[in-house]
Amino acid sequence: MASPRAHWTLTLLALLSSIPFTHAATVTYDFNISWVTANPDGLTSRPVIGINGFWPIRRIEANVGDRVIVNVLNSLGNQSTSLHFHGLFMNGSTHMDGPSQTTQCPIPPGGRFTYDFTIEQPGTYWYHSHTHGQYPDGLRGPLIVHDPENPFTDMYDEELVLTVSDWYHDQMPDLLPLFISKVNPTGAEPVPNSALLNETQNLTISVQPGKTYLFRVINIGAFAGQYIWFEGHNMTILEVDGVYTQPARADMIYLSAAQRCSFLVTARDNTSANFPVMASMDTDLFDTLPENLNWNVTGWLVYDSEAPLPEPRILEGSFEPFDDMALVPWDGQPLLGEPDQVITLDVIMDNLGDGANYAFFNNITYTSPKVPTLYTALTTGELATDRTVYGQYTHSFVLERGQVVELIVNNLDPGKHPFHLHGHHFQTVWRSADQAGTFQDSGVAPAEFSAIPMRRDTVVLFPNGNVVLRFRADNPGVWLFHCHIEWHVQSGLMATFVEAPLDLQKSLKVPDDHYAACRAGGVPTMGNAAGNTVDLLDLNGQNTPPGPLPAGFTTKGIVALVFSCIIGIVGVAVVAWYGFAADV
């Protein structure tokens, strides 16, 4: 007869043998970031930022549980850089999140930097530069995390990754000074020159009859949201932004910059024809429509390589994409409870004293601190829980661990804004239609919130509308919340969440190569946002935006002034010309 101890051991072994084990791997990427030349739309060759001499840049792939190491060498020569792994929570690794002057110093030309993190979440993500509006120049690519326990594996035969994006013929260092300038007082964003599929045009996708494909689609663009549809086929949505959903059928989807969606497409049994794959830029975002702009890009599902590639059908009327608020998370996570902290952010676009147009949350336009915000959290002791030390213009909010945070965002602007939260998914518990005004004036009660809200990390806020988000502060770190239109990032539409900073002080060790990047760039790594280390509440010397406009100046007034000046100059020139002509 077996002893009780032996019986317990056999029972434990039997239980362990029934658990499916996966072996986590270490996946290493060596990235030499440098300039290459490309012409993705066939219209203009230009310098783009590539990796290891290639562009488009390579895909990062890993399995849930893998450790990922990315060794970066900045060979750009004339620009600093960094990498953000969009949508990954970076649990325990906030210093690997990537935004310059938030969780690290920028990697200077010639500098080396290692990102080292473990991924515990499946899904469709991407990575891109998070320095000086750089990623539209090419430093952007897919990041796919495969799941051995994917609940939908038996529903498809093959995975395909598809990116949609906008493309500019001019480089960002040339475009940004003109965008944030007194010559652009209305803040009109530069209109892209082209739309791309997988960073090219005229993409062909070979499919086999009867097979079902999982398309992982990522908008890696800088500005334009995109309407996406497959002629002659429907989609079954299974995931958005790394969150599995209950299957939902759609004929068309909308992806803002930074959003992702995975869906099934089943190929037809008949191979007699090929079908257009369409992406159309959301022209409602553009202040002007250049005459030569083609805001559509066409690819094709190719059943027969000998058959013609048909022209896409013209869609009459307005687009009607699937409403992502109707999605139900696969795990059925219920609405989080009453919030412990409510933060209200009003989106405003306005001009400052230099005549340029800026973006604001609650009349604060984000300005980078002298000390990266994470390093302030690590070096200010007990005062790290006082938002003052992070500076007025990082617009920081300190969150306690475990809090339920409710974020109310009111859009006081007539444009759409895709808002992204680092380090978390959020529940989108309410989103108004456009022109609905502020949430406070809407009369909506919490009883009207969804019982099982849609979750993702990037949500579209409609013009002059509002949205209510909830998340649990269960990931100590420093996390940005910002519009993912890159023009608005650069003009200041960002806030910072400092989550459980005292826990960070106890647990986080920043690697030496991260500090080396700071030393090379002359960036201080201790003290408050101003770099003061003695009186931590003294913000003298902090970076500040331009001052306010003189009283009485408005955007319309600035426009009128600019045009008056132009007309005046033209008038003087005409008079002078007339005078010279009279002398002759």
Side-chain angles (χ1 to χ4, degrees), residues 63-102:
N63 293 321
V64 173
D66 284 353
R67 177 186 180 190
V68 175
I69 299 174
V70 181
N71 299 309
V72 173
L73 169 62
N74 179 4
S75 297
L76 292 172
N78 62 341
Q79 293 185 23
S80 297
T81 193
S82 69
L83 292 180
H84 168 57
F85 305 89
H86 182 110
L88 297 186
F89 298 157
M90 294 296 176
N91 296 96
S93 304
T94 187
H95 55 309
M96 302 295 174
D97 193 45
S100 290
Q101 294 305 116
T102 300

Side-chain angles (χ1 to χ4, degrees), residues 246-259:
Q246 296 289 341
R249 177 171 166 161
D251 296 315
M252 175 188 289
I253 63 170
Y254 180 94
L255 290 183
S256 74
Q259 286 187 321

Side-chain angles (χ1 to χ4, degrees), residues 13 30 44 73 116 140 172 191 202 261 275 368 376 400 485 512:
L13 289 172
D30 295 318
T44 300
L73 169 62
D116 184 348
R140 59 191 192 185
M172 294 298 282
V191 175
N202 301 313
C261 182
F275 293 86
S368 294
T376 291
E400 296 179 16
I485 291 174
D512 290 340

Side-chain angles (χ1 to χ4, degrees), residues 200-225:
T200 189
Q201 293 190 336
N202 301 313
L203 177 73
T204 57
I205 305 168
S206 296
V207 294
Q208 297 182 28
K211 276 194 171 184
T212 297
Y213 296 86
L214 177 72
F215 279 86
R216 297 180 180 269
V217 185
I218 312 165
N219 187 338
I220 60 174
F223 181 18

Side-chain angles (χ1 to χ4, degrees), residues 8 18 37 40 43 56 93 122-123 175 198 206-207 242 256 298 306 348 370 375 388 436 507 533 539 542 551 573:
W8 179 87
S18 68
T37 300
L43 298 175
S93 304
L175 291 170
N198 278 1
S206 296
V207 294
S256 74
T298 306
E306 301 299 321
I348 302 167
K370 289 184 175 178
Y375 299 165
T388 305
S507 62
T533 57
L539 292 173
Q542 70 176 325

Side-chain angles (χ1 to χ4, degrees), residues 426-504:
F426 46 69
Q427 295 182 336
T428 307
V429 304
W430 171 261
R431 180 172 62 189
S432 78
D434 59 2
Q435 309 306 321
T438 67
F439 178 72
Q440 291 80 355
D441 293 336
S442 67
V444 174
E448 298 178 58
F449 293 166
S450 173
I452 304 176
M454 181 267 290
R455 292 201 315 278
R456 60 188 319 164
D457 61 48
T458 306
V459 67
V460 177
L461 174 57
F462 294 140
N464 293 303
N466 60 80
V467 68
V468 181
L469 314 174
R470 283 187 186 176
F471 65 95
R472 187 177 297 280
D474 55 5
N475 188 15
V478 176
W479 311 114
L480 289 178
F481 178 74
H482 62 88
C483 177
H484 219 289
I485 291 174
E486 192 60 23
W487 307 111
H488 299 168
V489 171
Q490 297 308 307
S491 61
L493 200 50
M494 295 202 291
T496 309
F497 294 135
V498 181
E499 191 170 327
L502 300 186
D503 289 0
L504 286 174

